[in-house]
Amino acid sequence: MAKRIQFNTTGGPEVLQYLDFSPADPTADEVQVENKAIGINYIDTYIRSGLYPPPHLPSGLGTEAAGVVVKVGSSVKTLKVGDRVVYAQSALGAYSEVHNVSAEKIAMLPEQISFEQAAASFLKGLTVQYLLRQTHEIKPGEVFLFHAAAGGVGLIACQWAKALGAKLIGSVGSDEKAELAKAAGAWATINYRTENIAERVVELTHGEKVGVVYDSVGKSTWQDSLNSLKRRGLMVSFGNASGPVTGIDLATLNQKGALYVTRPSLNAYVTNRQELETASHELFSLIASGAINVDVAKNQQFPLRDARRAHEILESRQTTGSSLLIP
């Protein structure tokens, strides 16, 4: 027997239950991982709430963790029992003491990176990798806008932008979060509670605006994002923390300067083992070099049984950086 988080109906954090279960043996192309640290991601709240409905109910939750391989399927040749690994695109169920994961979704974890660092950074870091390196390739000296810059993805983006020699303008919800984003490498910050985002972008860029905006907030920042873009700029909408963007009038994109919009996801950029290895190698190299620091504060590391409380705190926007569940 082992412990995991399960929910029988979608809804608020109160639907999450801490239960016993009997893990199945891995299938031929899977490995079983004993999780040492589990990543909490905002997309988990979308699945729990039903915004992104799970394939079936009852359901496990979570797709990201780091740990040790304890069982190997008969067809798996690339991994063995005892390997230190990390994964971020598994089937739902990573909020668990053990989890069966397709070997194609597993990356080897270098010894110099801890389980906690890996679980805190893998999904978020791979997200930043595809955003800044593939969706739009950020160049040295380029100025761009990144919303929620003090969140888990945002703080990695601030550090990655600094490593690239680029100028990230980060929107944040408090002066304290502004300081965190600046310390991580943001070139400038905008407190959206006290400042007008689009007006400040115009000021910071001396009227030029930016060529790309990365927006994981959604509904509440949609218009500000469009208004911050220069002619033929790119709006990258990759999340809905404030609610989904609906009722889009395509004519607005023309009126604001023939803008482009994309709605990417990691699953569209990391589709096979080679793409996973390429992206994870770039991320791990930056972490190992010290260019990206992903240490998680102790008050954002929760026992697995406290997943409900972790979600309540995450959705209240009280967190900065990454949060973890520890089995």
Side-chain angles (χ1 to χ4, degrees):
M1 298 293 284
K3 294 286 190 179
R4 78 166 188 164
I5 298 297
Q6 179 178 299
F7 59 108
N8 298 326
T9 182
T10 57
E14 69 279 359
V15 304
L16 298 179
Q17 300 174 294
Y18 181 61
L19 302 174
D20 290 314
F21 81 113
S22 298
D25 286 333
T27 63
D29 60 354
E30 291 180 333
V31 298
Q32 187 170 96
V33 179
E34 181 181 313
N35 292 330
K36 301 297 186 181
I38 301 161
I40 303 174
N41 295 287
Y42 215 93
I43 193 172
D44 301 342
T45 70
Y46 299 161
I47 294 167
R48 185 213 69 223
S49 70
L51 178 63
Y52 294 172
H56 56 78
L57 291 170
S59 174
L61 191 60
T63 61
E64 174 184 37
V68 177
V69 175
V70 291
K71 292 183 179 181
V72 177
S74 59
S75 298
V76 177
K77 307 302 181 187
T78 56
L79 297 162
K80 65 183 186 301
V81 171
D83 281 344
R84 301 174 78 251
V85 295
V86 60
Y87 58 90
Q89 294 172 287
S90 74
L92 292 176
Y95 285 21
S96 177
E97 291 178 339
V98 296
H99 188 38
N100 294 341
V101 185
S102 167
E104 286 293 301
K105 306 294 186 182
I106 295 275
M108 294 292 292
L109 183 61
E111 288 290 340
Q112 62 267 44
I113 297 175
S114 70
F115 295 120
E116 291 80 9
Q117 287 177 312
S121 68
F122 200 49
L123 180 60
K124 299 173 184 70
L126 293 181
T127 297
V128 174
Q129 195 277 339
Y130 85 72
L131 290 172
L132 303 193
R133 306 289 286 151
Q134 299 186 70
T135 303
H136 171 85
E137 188 174 356
I138 295 294
K139 300 293 197 298
E142 183 171 0
V143 184
F144 64 99
L145 176 62
F146 202 103
H147 290 296
V153 172
L155 288 177
I156 293 175
C158 289
Q159 296 175 83
W160 207 311
K162 183 178 180 181
L164 293 172
K167 297 179 177 180
L168 181 150
I169 301 172
S171 79
V172 294
S174 69
D175 291 340
E176 179 186 19
K177 289 185 175 183
E179 290 303 316
L180 285 170
K182 287 179 182 176
W187 174 67
T189 58
I190 301 170
N191 184 340
Y192 62 79
R193 298 190 189 277
T194 60
E195 300 175 286
N196 181 286
I197 293 173
E199 289 179 1
R200 280 293 290 145
V201 168
V202 170
E203 291 174 7
L204 289 165
T205 60
H206 306 291
E208 288 191 11
K209 301 187 180 181
V210 296
V212 61
V213 174
Y214 296 98
D215 190 339
S216 63
V217 178
K219 184 178 180 180
S220 67
T221 51
W222 173 255
Q223 288 298 328
D224 281 322
S225 293
L226 297 183
N227 292 336
S228 299
L229 285 165
K230 63 177 67 173
R231 182 172 62 93
R232 296 172 64 188
L234 173 63
M235 167 65 175
V236 183
S237 175
F238 69 102
N240 317 290
S242 68
V245 177
T246 59
I248 299 170
D249 182 357
L250 292 178
T252 301
L253 304 179
N254 176 46
Q255 294 160 5
K256 293 184 181 296
L259 303 179
Y260 295 86
V261 176
T262 184
R263 182 59 174 89
S265 69
L266 180 60
N267 287 335
Y269 282 86
V270 176
T271 63
N272 56 52
R273 186 65 183 247
Q274 182 177 353
E275 291 172 347
L276 176 63
E277 289 179 353
T278 298
S280 61
H281 176 74
E282 188 171 5
L283 171 64
F284 290 152
S285 294
L286 287 169
I287 294 173
S289 73
I292 291 179
N293 176 13
V294 289
D295 291 335
V296 180
K298 288 297 183 182
N299 66 348
Q300 287 182 206
Q301 297 187 37
F302 303 88
L304 178 60
R305 69 175 67 89
D306 289 343
R308 180 184 302 183
R309 184 163 65 93
H311 272 224
E312 290 171 348
I313 293 172
L314 179 65
E315 291 183 298
S316 70
R317 308 246 185 127
Q318 295 177 39
T319 61
T320 56
S322 300
S323 298
L324 296 174
L325 294 173
I326 306 298

